[in-house]
Amino acid sequence: MSRSLLDLTAAQLGAAVREGRTPASELLTASLDRLAETHAGADGLNAIVHRVGTDDAAVQPLAMGPLAGVPVAIKDNFATRTLPTTCGSKILEGWVSPYEATAVRKLREAGAVVIGKANMDEFAMGSSTEHSAFGPSRNPHDRRRAPGGSSGGSAAAVAAGIAPIALGSETGGSVRQPAAFCGIVGVKPTYGRVSRYGLVAFASSLDCVAPFGRTVDDAALATEIISGHDPLDATSAAHAVPAMRVGPGPLAGLVVGVPKEYFPDSLMPEVRATCDRALEALRAQGATIREVSLPHTPYAIPVYYIIAPAEASANLARFDGVRYGMRLEADGVQAMYGATRAAGFGAEVTRRILLGTYVLSAGYYDAYYRKAQEVRALIARDFTDVFASGVHVLFTPTTPTPAFALGAISDPYEMYLSDIYTVTANLAGIPGISLPIGRVNGLPVGGQLLAPAFDEPTMFRAAYALEEALGAEAHR
Ligand code: GLN
């Protein structure tokens, strides 16, 4: 099959299969060929860690829906019934779930074909995929660089044309940051918009199912398909799902806020210049640009790194050598738990469990955890206030820099700062999108749009217009 067929959008590929112009089997073969080609050699992408075979029963589309026959990649922390679910961790080696995540089921019911499970930082803790037991993924734009993380394998798979759509998950930016690094589109829906049933829990008050696409339209299509209430997830919202594929159009009447805290003097000048061009493009479409302030932004990283590890320390208690995956035999049950967890978890996961256990312990709970919850409320109120003041969406850089080199960041705190512009949306529960807005030194740069809770249509409206207005400039 020609390269050009694989480079079509998911919407176009689904239509071609539905209308009988392209057999689904041809898309599957093309996807697996591209996978083999991009994964060969010592600098292979290592984006997909468990893949299907062409004879597996699960590769037949379930339905002739909008994604009929469209290959999709699924982050390795979603429960799938036929492929292993290992969260990039040794502790889940070989584990196959007895049930399927709701978001995966919805994609398959729309006709999508799961071609494999994508690499990730262990239990979604990280920003580079370097914390995966399977080794790091590589950035298709420069294989010496990280694709971002934690959903780096999903992002690399989409950027490399293995699948036009992939599922990732977000707790603090794990889809928007890799989307920015890989030059694609990543969406973090409103908390509660998409069922988390079957997504292995990291920090339950922050976790969101979040899709990738190469275009805003494919990302909107995927978001629309996976959204909706699910009785199997008590935190899934009852809100009706609005149309999200609103398409490009003028932005007359739209007020775009530019939070000054996201453009510090220390911001890389080339990233600032790329953002300025994007703002100019939004203005040219009719939007009004207004500088605003989100004063509690400086506390976002410390607050996130108290709340997320606290919740993780509780959620990861279930990996005890009894219920899932690996077990190290030892003398007595306590010793078996200890030995299994010490051998099964990597350094970053261990650090988070220790940190989380500490901030929840008697005597420290009030000083750290309760205080962090109070500041989280202030961060959320910054957004409520700015949206109540007549601002419809916010525009910011997605990350402070383009993709960094693999191995370049060894200090955990420096790695945490990679999420400085993304964690706020997770803390506040609001939707966000990252889309390509240009290049710096040949590497993609992402721009972020944030909208009020459950207002994905306005977020997509601005994103479609920005993508259209930037055109080829976004990829130059
Ligand atoms: N990089 C952040 C962390 O390490 C966010 C991860 C995520 O969104 N899953 O926690």
Side-chain angles (χ1 to χ4, degrees):
M1 193 180 79
S2 69
R3 170 153 191 128
S4 61
L5 186 50
L6 263 182
D7 292 335
L8 294 177
T9 66
Q12 290 166 329
L13 291 172
V17 170
R18 232 172 19 254
E19 291 158 16
R21 288 181 278 122
T22 305
S25 59
E26 199 176 319
L27 294 187
L28 176 66
T29 309
S31 168
L32 295 178
D33 285 353
R34 179 71 63 94
L35 198 167
E37 180 195 311
T38 53
H39 281 56
D43 70 343
L45 293 182
N46 196 28
I48 303 294
V49 291
H50 313 296
R51 68 190 67 178
V52 294
T54 35
D55 332 312
D56 296 3
V59 299
Q60 295 300 329
L62 272 186
M64 286 294 126
L67 295 180
V70 174
V72 296
I74 307 291
K75 188 176 182 179
D76 196 25
N77 58 351
F78 286 90
T80 49
R81 247 189 305 237
T82 52
L83 292 165
T85 297
T86 57
C87 296
S89 182
K90 278 205 297 234
I91 211 162
L92 279 173
E93 195 174 345
W95 187 68
V96 180
S97 167
Y99 63 93
E100 181 176 48
T102 298
V104 177
R105 174 177 60 76
K106 286 189 165 192
L107 287 177
R108 294 205 309 119
E109 284 172 358
V113 171
V114 174
I115 58 98
K117 300 295 283 290
N119 201 12
M120 55 185 282
D121 287 295
E122 186 177 9
F123 287 104
M125 298 173 191
S127 305
S128 68
T129 73
E130 290 167 291
H131 298 309
S132 167
F134 296 96
S137 296
R138 291 173 182 276
N139 191 316
H141 294 271
D142 177 348
R143 294 197 180 188
R144 290 161 306 174
R145 290 178 189 270
S150 63
S151 316
S154 300
V158 170
I162 295 165
I165 282 176
L167 278 190
S169 67
E170 274 234 6
T171 304
S174 276
V175 161
R176 285 165 291 157
Q177 185 256 20
F181 279 16
C182 290
I184 60 171
V185 180
V187 176
K188 178 231 171 273
T190 307
Y191 183 82
R193 179 63 98 185
V194 180
S195 168
R196 292 184 295 118
Y197 179 72
L199 169 65
V200 178
F202 164 6
S204 309
S205 77
L206 299 159
D207 294 345
C208 285
V209 175
F212 293 100
R214 273 198 302 272
T215 62
V216 171
D217 189 50
D218 274 357
L221 172 63
T223 311
E224 213 179 273
I225 289 170
I226 61 178
S227 289
H229 179 250
D230 179 7
L232 297 173
D233 172 5
T235 63
S236 95
H239 295 57
V241 179
M244 299 188 191
R245 298 179 73 193
V246 295
L251 295 181
L254 193 83
V255 179
V256 178
V258 180
K260 61 171 196 255
E261 291 80 4
Y262 288 63
F263 293 85
D265 289 342
S266 58
L267 184 62
M268 200 174 154
E270 296 90 337
V271 170
R272 180 188 304 270
T274 310
C275 287
D276 286 344
R277 281 197 296 278
L279 285 167
E280 214 31 71
L282 287 167
R283 201 193 319 266
Q285 298 298 301
T288 303
I289 312 295
R290 185 187 295 171
E291 188 182 280
V292 297
S293 174
L294 299 165
H296 295 92
T297 303
Y299 305 107
I301 290 281
V303 163
Y304 174 84
Y305 279 97
I306 291 171
I307 294 175
E311 294 183 14
S313 70
N315 276 327
L316 269 58
R318 74 192 63 174
F319 302 106
D320 55 6
V322 176
R323 282 171 282 194
Y324 310 88
M326 79 181 255
R327 169 188 301 188
L328 254 59
E329 295 305 341
D331 203 5
V333 73
Q334 284 296 341
M336 185 280 287
Y337 290 160
T340 300
R341 286 167 67 85
F345 289 137
E348 184 60 27
V349 171
T350 305
R351 175 166 24 250
R352 306 280 181 110
I353 292 172
L354 290 171
L355 210 69
T357 308
Y358 180 78
V359 300
L360 290 177
S361 58
Y364 294 104
Y365 183 94
D366 286 340
Y368 293 108
Y369 187 70
R370 188 188 305 280
K371 177 83 130 285
Q373 290 291 13
E374 286 165 4
V375 181
R376 178 183 186 171
L378 297 176
I379 291 169
R381 206 176 62 197
D382 281 355
F383 285 105
T384 319
D385 288 351
V386 87
F387 290 129
S389 77
V391 168
H392 300 111
V393 293
L394 296 163
F395 177 84
T396 79
T398 308
T399 56
T401 65
F404 46 78
L406 288 167
I409 301 184
S410 51
D411 173 21
Y413 188 69
E414 201 188 321
M415 188 69 89
Y416 299 169
L417 291 177
S418 192
D419 304 310
I420 195 155
Y421 302 142
T422 50
V423 293
T424 47
N426 301 79
L427 291 167
I430 61 173
I433 186 169
S434 176
L435 68 159
I437 55 166
R439 284 185 183 251
V440 169
N441 302 329
L443 296 169
V445 173
Q448 170 171 248
L449 291 158
L450 301 171
F454 296 104
D455 197 1
E456 283 89 352
T458 302
M459 176 184 85
F460 280 118
R461 179 183 170 214
Y464 273 102
L466 182 56
E467 179 185 57
E468 168 108 334
L470 290 172
E473 200 182 319
H475 300 281
R476 208 159 20 227

